[in-house]
Amino acid sequence: MQLADTLQVLCIVSVALVVALFLADGGAARFATPADALTSIGVLAGLVGTDLLLIMMLLAARLPAIDRAFGHDSAMALHQSLGKPALYLILAHAVLLIVGYSLAGKISVFAEVWRMLTVLPDMVLAFVGLGLLVLVVVSSIVIVRHRLPYEVWHIVHLLSYVAVLASLPHQLTVGALLAAGSPQWFYWLALYVGVAGSILVFRFILPVVRSLRARLRVEGVDRVADGVVSIRLSGHNLRRLQAHSGQFFIWRFWTPGLWWQAHPFSLSAAPTGTSLRITVRSLGDASAALGGLRRGTRVSVEGPYGLFTDRARTSPRLVLVAAGIGVAPIRSLLETATFLPGQATVILRSHTVGDSYLAYELAELCRARGAEFRIIAGTRPPGVNSWLPADALAARVSLKTLVPHLRDADVYVCGPRRWTDEVVRDARAAGLPTRQIHCERFDW
Ligand SMILES: Cc1cc2nc3c(=O)[nH]c(=O)nc-3n(C[C@H](O)[C@H](O)[C@H](O)COP(=O)(O)OP(=O)(O)OC[C@H]3O[C@@H](n4cnc5c(N)ncnc54)[C@H](O)[C@@H]3O)c2cc1C
């Protein structure tokens, strides 16, 4: 069984286990009256919802096993897709318990909420947790998220940790399901401790230790094009980072304006024992400021992450397709990927022949390694979704016509999201199975 399958089975098992906790506590017998039925369904919704929240946190905890199984972007996509179901279950939990208790006590729902807040232990914290959770999920809805600066969204998102912690006390003190010392209590606390420990180790302790050991500093900043720079970094024993061409790190540059934010950038040159390189296009405040970095600036990293490496290869031939700044991981992959002369093709898509980043370096590498190098330039066809320019599309050009032995190749694609989707569609249309198509997305 693949690692990804095992992890998916473990997720399903964890949900099944919380249902088992409910049944073991005699939950199935508490459906005799409408009040009991509402309360029981509410408790179950709360247990499953909280379990989903903990799974979401694990998916975002950057565990090496999860990164290896899904890749960071797929893990984050799964994390996002669980957000709404988890919130709906937790909201259902709150509403069903309020209505269920009010029916049982024969009081209004408002009087029941007041009773909960004033009589039951730890309920104020639980309501605070619920409010924060609503805030986090609303801030992540696409339309809201795109209006917020990334950093504001990120800080709001971190409140989900506070929300989950704030809700824990009432789970342990209200009702008998998780009574102190019971097997359910041990299991539930072990879940919380496991998730909190993973976050602490993999998001905080390991990156700090690795960064201290690597002693990374900016060695130089080279202009590549208007608004695009390559940043060379030096460090110690960088092999211990076990980074591979095509992977990315999350970088923090220790200057007064930048130290408080960290951004993902892919390696644009093969990592060595003493050096790393990234190539950055200015898209916002932080990426623009990186062009002004001084030599000697300290740098810390989280990572390496990502499956966009030669280790994901399944076939002897290689096709690398890039647009825009997506050229960065493609450039490093080309440097170290395994292929014989004549077995690799590099395709750069740009508006004009001269506006591709790192084209000169790629051309040199292709020449040295015996790979075919193509630049496909031209404007987009109006009103049609295609990764190719209008004239190429009219001439029925496709990946299949560009790369004769495509079926024996792995295709690596990196570029803007929609453009990447079109390349993937073309590769699929040519009969390539999913395992031979690899994408790196620059947005989560
Ligand atoms: C896996 C991955 C690899 C990447 N590799 C490269 C690369 O090699 N070269 C390159 O130029 N760019 C790369 N990017 C994109 C780069 O991370 C963003 O352009 C950069 O973070 C923008 O930050 P900003 O403050 O300048 O702009 P902002 O205006 O803050 O943001 C511009 C865009 O970048 C996104 N963004 C901002 N900060 C982050 C963050 N910390 N994490 C995720 N997304 C963020 C925002 O949501 C927004 O869509 C990569 C992104 C990802 C996810």
Side-chain angles (χ1 to χ4, degrees):
M1 202 192 291
Q2 299 268 318
L3 191 49
D5 296 333
T6 314
L7 290 173
Q8 274 164 8
V9 169
L10 283 178
C11 290
I12 295 166
V13 168
S14 84
V15 173
L17 273 174
V18 295
V19 177
L21 288 187
F22 171 77
L23 296 175
D25 186 51
R30 287 193 292 268
F31 280 84
T33 65
D36 280 354
L38 290 178
T39 310
S40 295
I41 298 172
V43 170
L44 195 53
L47 286 170
V48 177
T50 307
D51 191 60
L52 290 187
L53 277 180
L54 294 174
I55 291 175
M56 285 175 68
M57 293 193 157
L58 264 191
L59 286 169
R62 301 183 186 143
L63 259 72
I66 289 180
D67 189 49
R68 272 203 306 276
F70 296 105
H72 191 62
D73 50 355
S74 304
M76 292 316 287
L78 187 57
H79 166 95
Q80 276 167 21
S81 68
L82 289 177
K84 278 192 196 162
L87 177 69
Y88 293 153
L89 283 164
I90 304 271
L91 281 175
H93 164 73
V95 171
L96 289 170
L97 284 185
I98 291 169
V99 178
Y101 283 165
S102 72
L103 282 178
K106 297 190 174 57
I107 54 174
S108 74
V109 286
F110 299 107
E112 179 53 41
V113 170
W114 182 248
R115 187 190 73 87
M116 282 179 158
L117 287 170
T118 51
V119 178
L120 295 183
D122 304 313
M123 286 308 294
V124 176
L125 269 181
F127 275 92
V128 169
L130 181 64
L132 290 178
L133 209 58
V134 173
L135 186 69
V136 169
V137 176
V138 169
S139 76
S140 296
I141 296 169
V142 175
I143 192 162
V144 182
R145 182 173 171 179
H146 283 170
R147 278 162 200 243
L148 293 175
Y150 179 85
E151 282 72 28
V152 173
W153 170 82
H154 190 63
I155 288 168
V156 173
H157 212 69
L158 291 180
L159 291 176
S160 55
Y161 296 116
V162 182
V164 169
L165 273 184
S167 66
L168 179 61
H170 92 284
Q171 295 162 13
L172 304 177
T173 51
V174 180
L177 177 66
L178 299 173
S182 65
Q184 297 95 297
W185 182 82
F186 279 113
Y187 173 73
W188 201 244
L189 282 191
L191 267 187
Y192 266 82
V193 170
V195 172
S198 302
I199 293 169
L200 198 67
V201 169
F202 293 105
R203 290 204 67 166
F204 298 102
I205 298 176
L206 260 186
V208 169
V209 171
R210 282 191 178 148
S211 294
L212 287 175
R213 284 203 311 211
R215 285 181 273 157
L216 281 169
R217 284 180 188 272
V218 173
E219 197 54 39
V221 178
D222 307 318
R223 182 183 175 280
V224 171
D226 279 349
V228 180
V229 291
S230 282
I231 303 170
R232 286 175 284 112
L233 302 118
S234 62
H236 294 261
N237 272 331
L238 299 183
R239 297 255 179 249
R240 281 202 293 204
L241 290 172
Q242 295 182 8
H244 296 271
S245 292
Q247 285 191 301
F248 69 95
F249 286 90
I250 298 179
W251 305 81
R252 190 180 299 276
F253 295 89
W254 290 91
T255 67
L258 290 172
W259 65 268
W260 54 277
Q261 43 183 313
H263 293 270
F265 295 109
S266 304
L267 295 172
S268 66
T272 73
T274 53
S275 70
L276 300 176
R277 191 187 83 168
I278 55 176
T279 300
V280 176
R281 180 171 167 211
S282 147
L283 276 183
D285 292 352
S287 45
L290 295 181
L293 284 175
R294 297 233 172 114
R295 186 164 190 258
T297 302
R298 281 179 185 278
V299 183
S300 52
V301 286
E302 287 171 57
Y305 301 121
L307 302 178
F308 200 67
T309 70
D310 202 40
R311 292 189 301 172
R313 280 277 285 289
T314 58
S315 0
R317 292 176 183 272
L318 180 66
V319 180
L320 302 173
V321 194
I325 197 62
V327 71
I330 293 288
R331 155 72 178 74
S332 64
L333 260 176
L334 175 64
E335 210 176 331
T336 51
T338 317
F339 60 85
L340 297 172
Q343 288 196 328
T345 307
V346 177
I347 302 172
L348 281 193
R349 169 77 174 92
S350 62
H351 285 290
T352 62
V353 174
D355 69 4
S356 300
Y357 312 128
L358 304 178
Y360 177 73
E361 289 187 21
L362 279 168
E364 283 291 297
L365 270 172
C366 284
R367 200 177 47 75
R369 299 216 51 201
E372 190 183 349
F373 182 51
R374 284 170 175 268
I375 294 187
I376 300 187
T379 49
R380 281 187 227 169
V384 185
N385 290 332
S386 170
W387 67 278
L388 290 158
D391 54 349
L393 197 63
R396 297 188 165 275
V397 171
S398 68
L399 262 188
K400 204 166 151 185
T401 63
L402 289 167
V403 186
H405 300 286
L406 186 66
R407 293 290 285 274
D408 299 329
D410 276 80
V411 176
Y412 286 74
V413 195
C414 190
R417 179 176 276 271
R418 285 210 189 135
W419 178 87
T420 302
D421 291 343
E422 288 305 315
V423 182
V424 170
R425 205 158 61 94
D426 195 1
R428 291 228 168 94
L432 246 69
T434 308
R435 67 170 183 281
Q436 280 173 245
I437 307 173
H438 315 274
C439 306
E440 186 64 285
R441 301 195 185 272
F442 280 3
D443 49 11
W444 293 325

